[in-house]
Amino acid sequence: MGTSWVNSAERIGSDLHLELTGPGGRRAALIRALREAVRSGRLAPGTRLPPYRSLAADLGVARNTVADAYAELVAEGWLTARQGSGTRVAERAEPLRPAARVPKKAPPRARGPRHDLTQGTPDVSAFPRTAWLASYRRALQQAPNEVFGPGDPAGRPELREALTEYLARARGVRTEPGRIVICSGFAHALRLLFGGGVLRGPLAVEAYGLGFHRQVLAAAGVRTVPLPLDEHGARIDRLARERAVLLTPAHQFPTGGPLHPTRRTAVIDWARARDGLVLEDDYDGEFRYDRKPVGAVQGLDPERVIHIGSVSKSLSPAVRLGWMVLPERYVDAVLAVKGEREAWASVLDQLSLADFIASGSYDRHVRRMRQRYRGRRDRLVAALAEHAPHIEVTGVAAGLHAVLRLPPGTEASAVKAAAWQGIALDGLAAFRHPDTDMPVGDGLVVGYATPSEHAYGPALEALRGALPPP
Ligand SMILES: Cc1ncc(COP(=O)(O)O)c(C=O)c1O
């Protein structure tokens, strides 16, 4: 097909190379070539295109072919045609700026920690790809067409039903599908509840907790009030005028103990007496190693507790699926905040998760991971017993992290020493609420789930070198 160097005196400035190649005949090839020239900026906005006759002659095509191609591109908005001023490149056809050329350099040396012992991430190398894919495929095959339309803000009924059964069986949660609202994880639940005005602050929170969640709450204009901790967990007796309290009852984050049974009943008594509300962050409730899981506080009084869970620890934080199990009186308000249609949680992923749970794959995965994490915890405890018996390990009955108790005044230097050993981890101080002066002692928070299997041994080896001597 023809090739032409268009050389118009007016505003084209330089030659324009048009090459008529590809499928679909000359007209289609010319449309493609002109579109590409505008898109790439070779034909700038405002540029006048050559008259039909001259371009047709240059390219060796019929005049009508050029006229048709111009008309098509006018219809698409790439060109404008005005009587008396010919055909021009449309002013709003923004050229695609070519990516800045990056000079070739030698690849930078890998920097940053070699061993990731920060808490928070499950072993991402263990994501159950095959089983998830099977669930996704089944879910897609069985889904009615309406699934591909806008989603119900409450979440897919299949998922809410699967969760009702699962949470009752595995976590002792008492609910029904109508009281579950799907969201995209714990942080999203906080945003909906507080940012959306369903609940208001001040909110009591554990004196040590995840700073990110305090930030989410602060961004929603919520003042958080630190609640001291002791060996039995949060000091419920220190709740003052707040009407709501956020707790991690199954496994205090980050110190690691479960909320003592007397405190569990105390917080429900408090909520009943003060018309208060408990927010239960059940972030890693499935991972309990030595005894049966500690059931959810929600089971004690479903009308006083909002139970919030997600798959971030059990499966992957990339899936972005979570759930709120609500007292009946909050369901409508939460749905009103979510709006008319689902805008966060992919309906297809919801169906996949529903199948993953209902088919037993979720249970199998959790069991497999529980075994793996228990093995890692045991290796950590054994390594410390052998090489650093003066360091006490706490919070190891559950979850994906442990706390290594250090002699007073040594935490900051141990975190630095770990960095020198190429280890990323945090000390307890990183989790302290800014308004508390409550001491919990010095300690390192060691996430033992994050490294892949082969990286775990070397990470433990490096950790030895970072611990203070006896
Ligand atoms: C204390 C705590 N709560 C909740 C979560 C889950 O957060 P999300 O569901 O927003 O990923 C995490 C992190 O996985 C956590 O560390």
Side-chain angles (χ1 to χ4, degrees):
M1 276 193 225
T3 296
S4 168
W5 292 88
V6 175
N7 192 357
S8 159
E10 191 194 0
R11 289 199 59 185
I12 285 188
S14 57
D15 288 344
L16 179 72
H17 182 231
L18 289 178
E19 204 162 322
L20 304 193
T21 53
R26 289 167 172 233
R27 178 180 169 279
L30 178 57
I31 290 171
R32 262 197 311 275
L34 284 168
R35 213 189 270 131
E36 190 280 327
V38 175
R39 195 188 277 135
S40 67
R42 288 191 298 139
L43 274 176
T47 302
R48 186 174 185 165
L49 284 144
Y52 307 149
R53 202 181 301 277
S54 53
L55 186 56
D58 282 349
L59 291 170
V61 300
R63 184 182 168 281
N64 271 353
T65 305
V66 178
D68 277 2
Y70 281 13
E72 172 71 32
L73 292 168
V74 167
E76 289 179 10
W78 297 91
L79 306 179
T80 54
R82 226 175 275 139
Q83 200 121 47
S85 76
T87 307
R88 291 175 183 269
V89 176
E91 285 296 344
R92 53 189 187 84
E94 263 298 300
L96 182 73
R97 309 231 175 278
R101 264 179 199 276
V102 183
K104 271 207 172 155
K105 274 195 283 178
R109 262 190 334 116
R111 285 226 236 109
R114 278 170 287 129
H115 309 289
D116 190 355
L117 292 177
T118 50
Q119 63 70 39
T121 312
D123 179 351
V124 291
S125 71
F127 185 82
R129 294 173 192 239
T130 310
W132 183 262
L133 196 58
S135 285
Y136 198 84
R137 182 174 295 121
R138 270 196 303 271
L140 266 192
Q141 274 164 350
Q142 290 161 12
N145 287 343
E146 46 111 355
V147 155
F148 303 102
D152 178 345
R156 282 300 300 180
E158 294 90 334
L159 180 55
R160 291 182 287 121
E161 272 156 32
L163 282 169
T164 302
E165 186 278 327
Y166 173 77
L167 292 172
R169 176 165 55 76
R171 307 293 306 119
V173 168
R174 291 193 281 146
T175 193
E176 58 193 18
R179 295 199 193 181
I180 296 182
V181 175
I182 301 302
C183 56
S184 76
F186 182 81
H188 184 217
L190 286 184
R191 287 190 175 102
L192 288 169
L193 291 169
F194 289 94
V198 179
L199 304 177
R200 262 177 289 147
L203 172 70
V205 297
E206 292 156 330
Y208 283 71
L210 204 58
F212 172 62
H213 293 159
R214 292 194 294 262
Q215 282 167 21
V216 168
L217 289 161
V222 175
R223 188 165 67 87
T224 54
V225 182
L227 197 56
L229 301 167
D230 64 16
E231 71 280 11
H232 290 153
R235 291 279 305 272
I236 304 304
D237 59 319
R238 299 285 283 274
L239 280 168
R241 262 177 290 154
E242 304 81 31
R243 297 279 298 283
V245 57
L246 170 59
L247 300 172
T248 48
H251 186 224
Q252 203 285 322
F253 183 88
T255 59
L259 188 64
H260 192 274
T262 56
R263 301 273 168 90
R264 289 160 59 92
T265 47
V267 79
I268 295 297
D269 290 345
W270 164 84
R272 286 175 179 162
R274 297 289 309 269
D275 193 21
L277 185 68
V278 181
L279 277 85
E280 176 171 40
D281 175 2
D282 199 39
Y283 65 108
D284 67 2
E286 285 108 339
F287 296 113
R288 185 148 193 100
Y289 306 121
D290 301 323
R291 282 180 284 131
K292 269 172 51 125
V294 178
V297 167
Q298 191 269 3
L300 299 180
D301 191 341
E303 288 306 318
R304 293 287 162 200
V305 181
I306 297 182
H307 175 90
I308 306 168
S310 81
V311 299
S312 291
K313 297 280 200 225
S314 55
L315 263 176
S316 154
V319 175
R320 301 315 310 151
L321 277 179
W323 46 86
M324 281 180 268
V325 179
L326 295 161
E328 191 165 18
R329 65 188 185 284
Y330 290 111
V331 174
D332 288 345
V334 171
L335 288 178
V337 173
K338 276 200 87 182
E340 272 179 32
R341 28 169 89 180
E342 178 59 67
W344 291 274
S346 153
V347 173
L348 302 184
D349 284 337
Q350 291 184 43
L351 287 174
S352 234
L353 181 60
D355 181 277
F356 199 74
I357 295 171
S359 64
S361 292
Y362 192 76
D363 285 81
R364 274 192 293 282
H365 178 69
V366 167
R367 260 201 310 277
R368 188 164 71 90
M369 295 316 291
R370 199 184 287 133
Q371 253 177 7
R372 177 178 294 201
Y373 295 145
R374 183 197 284 125
R376 290 191 181 194
R377 177 205 65 166
D378 292 348
R379 281 169 71 187
L380 172 68
V381 171
L384 290 167
E386 188 179 347
H387 302 289
H390 58 294
I391 306 274
E392 190 197 353
V393 198
T394 60
V396 287
L400 312 182
H401 69 270
V403 178
L404 276 47
R405 298 287 174 180
L406 301 178
T410 61
E411 181 179 305
S413 55
V415 172
K416 257 194 213 138
W420 275 104
Q421 299 289 334
I423 306 171
L425 50 61
D426 289 303
L428 278 172
F431 302 95
R432 183 168 46 220
H433 191 293
D435 299 340
T436 190
D437 47 13
M438 188 209 102
V440 285
D442 286 38
L444 295 178
V445 180
V446 174
Y448 47 80
T450 310
S452 57
E453 278 299 89
H454 75 274
Y456 188 53
L460 284 186
E461 192 69 29
L463 181 63
R464 271 168 61 183
L467 297 174

